[in-house]
C-alpha cells in the first residue's frame, strides 16, 4: 500500500473514532433535562419537609422552607404548589410571633407563703411606655400593673410606679379603658405604708374583662409627673395562671 493510501486510511480511522466518541456525549438539551430533574428532586424533598413541619405545628420553620423554595427553585412543581398558600402561612406565623411576644410581657408567681397562711398568686406586666426619661445612667422609670390573690389580704389590682408616688383627690378615682369600650371610673386607694402604688378597687370586673382584651389604659396622677395614662398590652394574659377564670 502506498504511503498516500496509508495516510488516507489512518485519517479515515481517526475521523471514525472521533465520531464514535461523540455519540456518547450528552447534548445541551440532555444536560438541561438532567439538571432540571435534579432541581425538581431537591425542591420536592423540601416540599415534603414543609408538609411535615406544618403537620407538627412548626409553621415558622415551614415558612422558612417555603420562602427558600420560592426563591431558589421558582420554576418547579413544588414552588407552584407552595405559592398559593405561602401568604396565609406568613400571616399565621406573624400572629403566632405576636402572641408569643405578648405572652412574654407577663410575669407570674405562685407559691405557698407560710406567713400569709396559704397560696399567694400574682401576675404583672410593665406599661408600654416609660413614665419619664432615663437619668444618671439608670433605666427609664416604668409603671407596672399587678393582679394579686392573697389568703389574708384578698384579691387586688394595683399600679406600681418607678417615678415617685401617686396622688389623687378625695374621693380617689381612676379611669380604666378596656380596648374600645366605654371608660369606667372606679375607686382608687393609695396605701398608707409608703409604697409607690395605687389600688384599682374593681378586681371582679377587671378580672372578668382582662381575658380577651388587647389593651388596658388606666388614667391616674403621679405626684411628680402629674396626670398620666399607663397603657398595657395585655393580649397575652393567661387567666389560668392565677385562677381569675
Amino acid at each position: 500500500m502506498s504511503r498516500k493510501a496509508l495516510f488516507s486510511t489512518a485519517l479515515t480511522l481517526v475521523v471514525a473514532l472521533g465520531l464514535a466518541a461523540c455519540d456518547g456525549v450528552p447534548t445541551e438539551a440532555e444536560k438541561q433535562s438532567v439538571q432540571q430533574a435534579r432541581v425538581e428532586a431537591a425542591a420536592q424533598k423540601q416540599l415534603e419537609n414543609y408538609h411535615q413541619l406544618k403537620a407538627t405545628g412548626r409553621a415558622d420553620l415551614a415558612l422558612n422552607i417555603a420562602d427558600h423554595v420560592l426563591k431558589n427553585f421558582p420554576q418547579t412543581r413544588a414552588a407552584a404548589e407552595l405559592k398559593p398558600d405561602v401568604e396565609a402561612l406568613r400571616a399565621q406565623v406573624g400572629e403566632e410571633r405576636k402572641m408569643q411576644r405578648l405572652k412574654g410581657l407577663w410575669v407570674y408567681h405562685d407559691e405557698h407563703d407560710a406567713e400569709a397562711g396559704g397560696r399567694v398568686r400574682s401576675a404583672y406586666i410593665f406599661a408600654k411606655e416609660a413614665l419619664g426619661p432615663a437619668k444618671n445612667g439608670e433605666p427609664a422609670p416604668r409603671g407596672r400593673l399587678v393582679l394579686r390573690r392573697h389568703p389574708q389580704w384578698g384579691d387586688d389590682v394595683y399600679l406600681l410606679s418607678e417615678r415617685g408616688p401617686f396622688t389623687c383627690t378625695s374621693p380617689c378615682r381612676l379611669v380604666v379603658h378596656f380596648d374600645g369600650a366605654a371608660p369606667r371610673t372606679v375607686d382608687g386607694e393609695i396605701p398608707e405604708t409608703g409604697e409607690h402604688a395605687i389600688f384599682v378597687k374593681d378586681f371582679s370586673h377587671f378580672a372578668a374583662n382582662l381575658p380577651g382584651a388587647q389593651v388596658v389604659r388606666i388614667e391616674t396622677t403621679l405626684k411628680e409627673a402629674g396626670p398620666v395614662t399607663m397603657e398595657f398590652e395585655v393580649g397575652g394574659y393567661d387567666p389560668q395562671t392565677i385562677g381569675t377564670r
Side-chain angles (χ1 to χ4, degrees):
M1 180 180 293
S2 68
R3 182 178 298 180
K4 183 176 180 181
L6 183 62
F7 176 78
S8 178
T9 301
L11 180 61
T12 301
L13 180 60
V14 168
V15 171
L17 290 172
L19 291 173
C22 288
D23 288 342
V25 176
T27 65
E28 191 62 32
E30 289 172 333
K31 290 179 181 179
Q32 291 178 2
S33 179
V34 170
Q35 179 62 24
Q36 183 61 29
R38 289 174 180 169
V39 170
E40 287 284 354
Q44 184 62 33
K45 181 62 177 176
Q46 294 295 318
L47 181 63
E48 292 170 4
N49 293 336
Y50 166 86
H51 286 307
Q52 183 177 8
L53 288 167
K54 278 192 71 178
T56 56
R58 296 307 308 270
D60 54 340
L61 296 181
L63 178 62
N64 289 342
I65 287 179
D67 284 337
H68 174 76
V69 170
L70 292 173
K71 178 180 178 181
N72 295 283
F73 310 121
Q75 304 304 319
T76 61
R77 290 187 293 273
E81 182 176 332
L82 289 170
K83 194 171 183 179
D85 299 331
V86 72
E87 291 310 316
L89 182 63
R90 196 182 311 282
Q92 176 188 337
V93 171
E95 284 300 312
E96 290 176 356
R97 288 173 178 168
K98 176 184 175 182
M99 183 52 63
Q100 286 301 315
R101 181 186 72 82
L102 292 174
K103 287 181 177 180
L105 298 177
W106 284 94
V107 178
Y108 303 95
H109 294 288
D110 185 347
E111 58 188 3
H112 182 81
D113 188 326
E115 185 176 343
R119 186 181 180 189
V120 178
R121 290 169 288 175
S122 66
Y124 73 80
I125 183 173
F126 283 103
K128 185 177 179 180
E129 302 293 340
L131 295 176
K135 293 181 180 179
N136 303 320
E138 296 293 328
R142 305 170 76 186
R144 193 186 313 185
L145 171 66
V146 184
L147 285 79
R148 182 186 62 198
R149 312 198 76 178
H150 194 282
Q152 291 183 4
W153 303 335
D155 300 334
D156 291 302
V157 179
Y158 55 94
L159 298 174
L160 294 173
S161 163
E162 294 178 353
R163 192 181 177 184
F166 292 90
T167 185
C168 63
T169 58
S170 182
C172 189
R173 296 283 190 267
L174 302 124
V175 179
V176 180
H177 306 253
F178 279 93
D179 294 327
R184 181 179 175 89
T185 301
V186 302
D187 291 337
E189 181 182 336
I190 296 176
E192 298 177 354
T193 48
E195 294 93 346
H196 296 168
I198 186 168
F199 286 92
V200 183
K201 307 292 285 184
D202 197 27
F203 182 88
S204 296
H205 182 270
F206 205 97
N209 286 272
L210 185 57
Q214 296 301 308
V215 176
V216 170
R217 299 188 309 278
I218 303 178
E219 299 176 26
T220 184
T221 303
L222 290 172
K223 192 171 184 180
E224 177 183 330
V228 295
T229 299
M230 296 187 189
E231 182 173 312
F232 303 92
E233 295 180 281
V234 298
Y237 175 67
D238 180 0
Q240 302 301 323
T241 54
I242 64 170
T244 50
R245 176 174 286 183

